[in-house]
Amino acid sequence: MAGDPRYHSTLVANFINKVMSRGKKNTAARIVYGAMDELGRQTGEEPLEVFEQAIDNIKPRLEVKSRRVGGATYQVPMEVKPARQVALALRWLIQYATGRRGIPVQRALANELLDAYRNQGAAVKKRDDTHKMAQANKAFAHYRW
């Protein structure tokens, strides 16, 4: 996959594609680049580095998957593959940014990214909850396949 035109990053290009709805890529790119500019203004640092660090802070290392054994269903903790880590992180980021009502999506994305960069906010809480679920169910790890 080729990188985006401004930052030449495949991660940003992937993020633009995730933000895009109804095939409106230019609108999605405007939203993402606006959020990145806002992020650069708020932190005073390179927006791409802040973005990458924020995504890294959201990525889940473990998750639980349902596994049916006999008549019972167990939540089995599994390690998350790197591509899925990024996909989940981007999905959660967009979900919680669009959930912030009353402010433009561009600013909401910037705020959610900033919260993730500072290891706080809804997306980081989601990652922590996912890790807690995996930790609580580690007794069923022997059902891993």
Side-chain angles (χ1 to χ4, degrees), residues 48-117:
L48 184 61
E49 291 172 13
V50 175
F51 175 71
E52 288 173 347
Q53 182 61 47
I55 296 299
D56 211 41
N57 289 345
I58 301 172
K59 284 193 228 175
R61 310 296 185 251
L62 296 168
E63 68 178 344
V64 291
K65 288 193 177 181
S66 295
R67 173 93 162 120
R68 193 161 171 84
V69 178
T73 303
Y74 297 104
Q75 295 289 322
V76 181
M78 308 279 282
E79 288 183 10
V80 184
K81 293 179 181 174
R84 181 161 168 78
Q85 286 181 0
V86 172
L88 286 171
L90 295 178
R91 184 182 313 156
W92 293 341
L93 191 66
I94 294 165
Q95 174 188 346
Y96 291 116
T98 54
R100 292 183 179 206
R101 294 288 173 208
I103 58 173
V105 178
Q106 191 169 301
R107 188 169 311 131
L109 261 180
N111 291 342
E112 196 62 45
L113 278 165
L114 192 60
D115 284 349
Y117 177 68

